[in-house]
Amino acid sequence: PEEQQRLKQQAEMLRSLKPGLKVICYVDVYLTRADEQRPDHVDARHLGPDRVQREYSPGAWKPHLWLFLPTLQNSYGEAIGRYFDVCVNELGFDGIYWDEMSYSAFEDAWDLHDGYTAEPDINTWTIKEPIAWAPLYCQGFQQARATWLLETGRTLIANGQPRTETMTKLHFPRFVEAWHASKLRKAHLYCPVGLGSPDRIMEEADIARNIRENLQNGGLWYYYLGWERFRLTRKTITEQMYPFTPVELHEGYVIGQERIITCKSGLFGWGDASAHRVYVYDHQGVLQPEFDAPTQTIDGLTYTELRLPGGWLAAIVRG
């Protein structure tokens, strides 16, 4: 109860600082840190091939974490599922940030079966034993909780792309952890957003560089950085990056229904006569309101001509 009250107070404080802000609560459904809870959900333990429960070992910032697999049928799924209701209905959060939505750490699980997956015997090319593939085994739970949040108008953002066709049909933002921007290749078929890489951002000017790295790999950017390094002193191109509904992804620029984000020069438009608003940022991410970005009309179609210096960024907003 004390922890819940602290979370509620934090959400209320953030809203008081910026009215209208949506505050969402962190959830990772596959982990529990309470050792005494291990016997309570034996049927949901995430076991390895040695039949030992898988775990996150304690580290500098995290305690000992045990891995479980929630479903709509097991008691663990029922217990962790209630946490969603606590977050949005009792604590008043505006939605959920679902970390590691598809699975956590290990995809395969033993002594469980999803009805389709098996470990092969590589010597005989036969089935050695049935196992579970976590994204499929937990799919019903994921789908039910996500659908409930979306249908009740809550915000849902997740870490990791969908791994099944069923989850791909649910549309909400899901990013990848882009510790290197090449990881964005995993996001090209669903939601092309890469999390900022904290090991590559040591000062504020590095943010623009990290955004360019994501763009070079066909992706957008979410802020992620420990506050102990520095504090933001200005806005950057992220203020003009969203909302974004993907149309085309290219090396160095991405085209959405609402806007185009680019770190390349060129002639940009949507093949129609819509108006353009252009925002250009220098190599340090500082807005350059006087930058000349002329609009051209060619055969009745509108284009913005951009001649960007090296390392600069631009957002062309439609309408």
Side-chain angles (χ1 to χ4, degrees), residues 266-298:
L267 206 59
F268 295 95
W270 285 268
D272 59 22
S274 59
H276 296 183
R277 289 176 285 127
V278 184
Y279 304 85
V280 177
Y281 299 79
D282 68 14
H283 66 288
Q284 293 186 317
V286 178
L287 179 65
Q288 302 295 311
E290 303 303 321
F291 187 87
D292 185 27
T295 298
Q296 297 186 21
T297 301
I298 304 174

Side-chain angles (χ1 to χ4, degrees), residues 5-144:
Q5 185 63 26
R6 185 178 70 85
L7 290 171
K8 185 176 182 180
Q9 290 172 349
Q10 287 181 340
E12 292 171 349
M13 178 193 68
L14 289 167
R15 292 193 192 96
S16 72
L17 295 171
K18 186 174 178 60
L21 183 71
K22 289 188 176 182
V23 186
I24 61 179
C25 192
Y26 176 98
V27 172
D28 190 321
V29 303
Y30 304 106
L31 307 176
T32 180
R33 70 185 196 182
D35 289 357
E36 63 271 16
Q37 290 188 14
R38 294 186 65 202
D40 295 344
H41 307 292
V42 174
D43 60 335
R45 292 184 303 162
H46 190 161
L47 304 181
D50 55 1
R51 272 54 178 186
V52 174
Q53 185 171 8
R54 283 171 157 165
E55 61 186 73
Y56 274 114
S57 298
W61 57 270
K62 61 183 184 295
H64 205 139
L65 300 169
W66 301 101
L67 271 65
F68 291 84
L69 294 174
T71 70
L72 294 176
Q73 290 75 41
N74 62 29
S75 62
Y76 180 75
E78 180 182 359
I80 198 69
R82 287 196 298 269
Y83 184 60
F84 289 77
D85 182 69
V86 169
C87 289
V88 298
N89 289 327
E90 296 183 24
L91 303 184
F93 282 90
D94 299 298
I96 295 293
Y97 161 52
W98 193 329
D99 198 8
E100 301 185 313
M101 186 174 187
S102 294
Y103 68 97
S104 177
F106 305 94
E107 292 185 80
D108 46 12
W110 272 257
D111 284 358
L112 297 173
H113 191 212
D114 58 29
Y116 299 92
T117 309
E119 180 188 13
D121 186 320
I122 60 174
N123 295 315
T124 62
W125 294 100
T126 59
I127 291 177
K128 187 175 182 180
E129 63 176 310
I131 60 174
W133 186 55
L136 185 59
Y137 185 74
C138 301
Q139 175 181 265
F141 178 90
Q142 297 169 14
Q143 183 185 26

